[in-house]
Every structure is written in structure tokens, then in C-alpha cells.
Amino acid sequence: MTGRPGRTGTTPRGGGQAGAGDLLELVRSGRAVTRGALQEATGLSRATVGQRLDRLFRAGWLREGAGGPVGSPLGGRPAVTLEFDDSHAVVLVADLDTRHARAAVLSLTGELLAEDSGALVVEHGPEAVLGELGRRFADLLTKAGRPAAAVCGIGLAVPGPVDSETGRVVQPPIMPGWDGYDIRGRLSRAFTEHTGTPAVPVLVDNDANLMAYGEQRTGHPDCSALVLVKVSTGIGAGVVVGGSIYRGVDGGAGDIGHVRVGADALCRCGSYGCLAAVASGGAVARRLAESGVPAASGSDVRDLLAAGHPEAAALAREAGRRVGDVLATVVTLLNPGVLMIAGDLAGTPFLTGVRELLYQRALPRSTAHLEVVTSRLGERAALIGAGALVVEHLYAPARVEERLAAMGV
């Protein structure tokens, strides 16, 4: 979680002198990792750089690394490098699906320290579900051997559109009872109830957004435009442009599962003909069940595909063709460098169907430099993305200044 995709140069906030937060960002990004390099990048004097760094050292956020190469051909002592110290705090993350949840403790650089996965039904409502997540977080901290006081923030991925300003889901088709609920407040209270420690910041985002963010940062840091499509119970997309999640004006970007495709199937959103109603894992499961094959969810379809079930494979390929038809428009509009398929149906039959229609319908120019791939992080993608989101929020330059001031350093 240390890179800064899509960011170049150093422009201090407000055009003034670079603060401690700006120096920390330069070190974390790897753009300047010695005192001399920081002076050159910021134009600050040696003494001022030293004062700024002293605050970061006292906070425990920086440490000295090994000596770097000698900068002068005349020789001399090697420069001491500076490193972001990821051992001073941890992040709690969770990924909610419709019937289960995955939670983890991560280091500030994304290392998995402890993980748990188990049943948790989103339809049981936010009060119960978030309360249970608080309990699981407490257990995971014990498993990881880290105190609750080390937690600096919590990140949560949910299967619905999220207003990023408030952290509340907005009219989520597959999350009954969650519309407008104060997720941040309840999860923060649940953490305190089960650990006895003060509240920490909670960030909430759509699961496909966080999956895309995690995949882009870890596997495609140089890709300026990445689209991830998650096909599980429903269908959603996450878009990362210039290293940042693109959410639209109120969090609704990427909700391609509700593009109308001309079918007469009733969707869970109440409309007819949505893509999710005919091409999601849930839709494939229903068709299999109607033909006598036991399947009730996207995860059941995933298991059937893994076992080589021929009817499941045929229906997954058909679903892929329907999704590929819609993605031809998406690719023509956004011209991404990577189109990633993830979720329960992200296997060879579905991917084959996507490619058949995508390359048939999209303009050749739009696909000439396009990679169509499957997820590299798998079921942990949203966890990694959620952790990165929290770290980027808490260690952004302006936020660093606020936190240092609150710590009295």
C-alpha cells in the first residue's frame, strides 16, 4: 500500500512550503528517500527538513533504513535512507457478501496478519451484521497478536452503491434494510464494544470499487484506466482512473448490473430486463435449479464450474456473452488498459463468452491495447483495496498534519 499510481511531482498544499505530511508522502511513494533527496524535491533547507522529519520519527511513522549508494564520485559516507515504518499500526478490513463475510487484520503495507471467513447473512440487517463484525475483529486481533490500540482505521466493502461522503449505502438492491443506515457509526461502536478501545475512523465503499483498487495497486500500478467486473450474486463494476476510484457524483458509477438488455426477467431491483437478472451468478443458479441441478447461489455455480459440470459451463458462457455485449460499450467509452473479470463466475467458460461478444461488438481501436484477465487477488481483492483506502486516507498530507497536531508532535 505504499505506491501512488497516477501521481507525479510534489506540489505542497496551498502552494506553500511542504509540511511533514508532504515529506511522508515522498518517502512512502519512493520518490525521495534520503534527506538530501527531500531537500531537492521540496526546496526546503536542511534544517527545515530535519525539523519536519523529527515530528514523523517521534510519531513512530518513519525509521532509518540501510545506507544508500554514495552520491558523489569523490566518495564519502553513504546516505541514510528513510522508510515508512508500517509496524506502528494495523488496519481492520472486511468484505460483506450476501451470505458470508471475510475479515482480516492487515499491516499498513498490505501484509495479511490474520484472516477469517464465515457465514454472515446481509439480509439479517445492519445492526446484527455490523455487531458481529465487531466481535470477529476482536477475535482476529487476538489471533494476530496485536492490541486493539494498534488499530488506526477500519475499511468495509459492501455489495451496494455507497455515498463516499457519508459511508451510507444508497438504495441497494441486494441489501434490504441497509438503505441510508449509518454504517460507519454502528461499526465504530461495535469495535469499541468488543475491544474497549476508543473509536477509530471507518471507511465504507462498494465491493467492486475496492476490488478494482486492490487489483490496480498490487498488479497493475502503471495502468491509467482499469475496469473490474464482479459477477457473483449480482453484477457490478469498479473503475480506477489515474490511480483513484471513479465513483460518479453520488457513488453510483459502475452499476452495470442494472443496464437494460431487452430480456423480460424480473430483477431484484424491481425492474425488468436488467443484466443481473439474466447473467449474474444468481440468475445462472436459478436456471440450473429449474433444470433439476441443485444450485441456489453464485457460489454453488462456482463449485459446479470447478467440478466441470457441462450445463453450468454452457450457461456461464451464455452469461458471459450477455455481459460482454454490455462491456463492449463500457470499453468503447472508457478505453481501459485492463478489463478484469472477478467473482463466482470468473472462470474459462464465462471469460470465453465475454471475449466472444466484446471483440465482436467493440471498436478495434478500443481493444487494440486491452488486456482481458481474471482477478489475481481472488477473494482477498476487496480486503486489500479496503486496507489501501484506509491507509491513503489516514496518511494523506493534510490528514497527517491533523493527526500529528492531535498527538502533540
Side-chain angles (χ1 to χ4, degrees):
M1 298 180 195
T2 57
R4 293 293 189 284
R7 299 184 186 179
T8 57
T10 302
T11 304
R13 301 170 317 283
Q17 283 196 335
D22 297 298
L23 299 192
L24 183 64
E25 178 160 315
L26 284 166
V27 173
R28 289 185 59 233
S29 67
R31 298 202 303 272
V33 296
T34 66
R35 287 169 174 81
L38 289 170
Q39 286 178 243
E40 183 177 352
T42 62
L44 297 176
S45 69
R46 179 178 180 180
T48 302
V49 166
Q51 292 168 357
R52 304 278 199 271
L53 292 178
D54 183 60
R55 298 178 67 199
L56 298 171
F57 278 116
R58 283 187 285 145
W61 297 354
L62 276 187
R63 65 188 173 205
E64 291 186 343
V70 178
S72 168
L74 300 178
R77 293 195 309 172
V80 174
T81 58
L82 303 170
E83 300 174 349
F84 179 59
D85 189 344
D86 70 333
S87 67
H88 71 272
V90 296
V91 177
L92 295 173
V93 292
D95 178 18
L96 283 183
D97 209 330
T98 53
R99 304 195 66 81
H100 72 275
R102 186 177 294 271
V105 182
L106 300 180
S107 75
L108 297 182
T109 49
E111 179 186 357
L112 186 70
L113 304 178
E115 185 179 20
D116 169 79
S117 180
L120 193 59
V121 181
V122 74
E123 289 186 356
H124 289 172
E127 185 73 21
V129 169
L130 297 175
E132 171 62 12
L133 273 184
R135 185 194 67 77
R136 293 188 187 184
F137 281 152
D139 291 345
L140 280 169
L141 286 168
T142 300
K143 183 178 178 181
R146 299 301 298 265
V151 176
C152 63
I154 298 173
L156 177 64
V158 297
V162 177
D163 182 338
S164 61
E165 293 297 318
T166 65
R168 299 172 188 249
V169 291
V170 183
Q171 300 177 356
I174 59 176
M175 297 179 71
W178 290 71
D179 185 22
Y181 185 84
D182 182 14
I183 296 175
R184 289 176 179 171
R186 176 64 183 111
L187 188 52
S188 181
R189 290 194 303 274
F191 171 71
T192 298
E193 289 165 6
H194 289 280
T195 64
T197 55
V200 296
V202 176
L203 298 184
V204 185
D205 210 327
N206 170 262
D207 54 359
N209 283 348
L210 292 178
M211 291 172 71
Y213 196 46
E215 295 279 4
Q216 190 269 343
R217 289 178 62 84
T218 58
H220 303 274
D222 298 322
C223 179
S224 60
L226 178 146
V227 176
L228 178 143
V229 181
K230 179 186 179 184
V231 187
S232 290
T233 300
I235 301 176
V239 181
V240 178
V241 177
S244 299
I245 297 171
Y246 178 74
R247 300 181 177 88
V249 296
D250 62 3
D255 204 2
I256 66 169
H258 301 286
V259 172
R260 304 293 176 83
V261 293
D264 59 0
L266 177 63
C267 182
R268 294 185 65 171
C269 73
S271 298
Y272 285 87
C274 293
L275 180 64
V278 295
S280 65
V284 173
R286 284 193 298 273
R287 291 189 62 181
L288 287 169
E290 289 168 0
S291 65
V293 179
S297 65
S299 59
D300 291 336
V301 178
R302 179 189 62 205
D303 294 341
L304 288 168
L305 290 171
H309 192 282
E311 188 172 354
L315 289 174
R317 182 168 179 171
E318 180 184 334
R321 287 172 59 84
R322 286 185 175 272
V323 173
D325 196 9
V326 172
L327 289 179
T329 300
V330 172
V331 166
T332 301
L333 177 66
L334 296 179
N335 190 209
V338 173
L339 173 62
M340 183 173 290
I341 306 300
D344 292 330
L345 298 194
T348 299
F350 185 86
L351 193 63
T352 299
V354 167
R355 285 176 166 149
E356 285 175 356
L357 262 289
L358 173 63
Y359 288 106
Q360 177 183 329
R361 300 291 172 82
L363 291 172
R365 184 183 183 282
S366 300
T367 58
H369 302 289
L370 176 68
E371 292 182 65
V372 182
V373 298
T374 54
S375 169
R376 295 175 62 174
L377 296 176
E379 295 180 336
R380 292 174 176 161
L383 297 180
I384 300 301
L389 190 73
V390 171
V391 171
E392 292 305 318
H393 171 74
L394 291 178
Y395 294 92
R399 184 68 175 138
V400 163
E401 300 295 342
E402 295 173 3
R403 295 176 66 200
L404 290 175
M407 295 167 65
V409 299

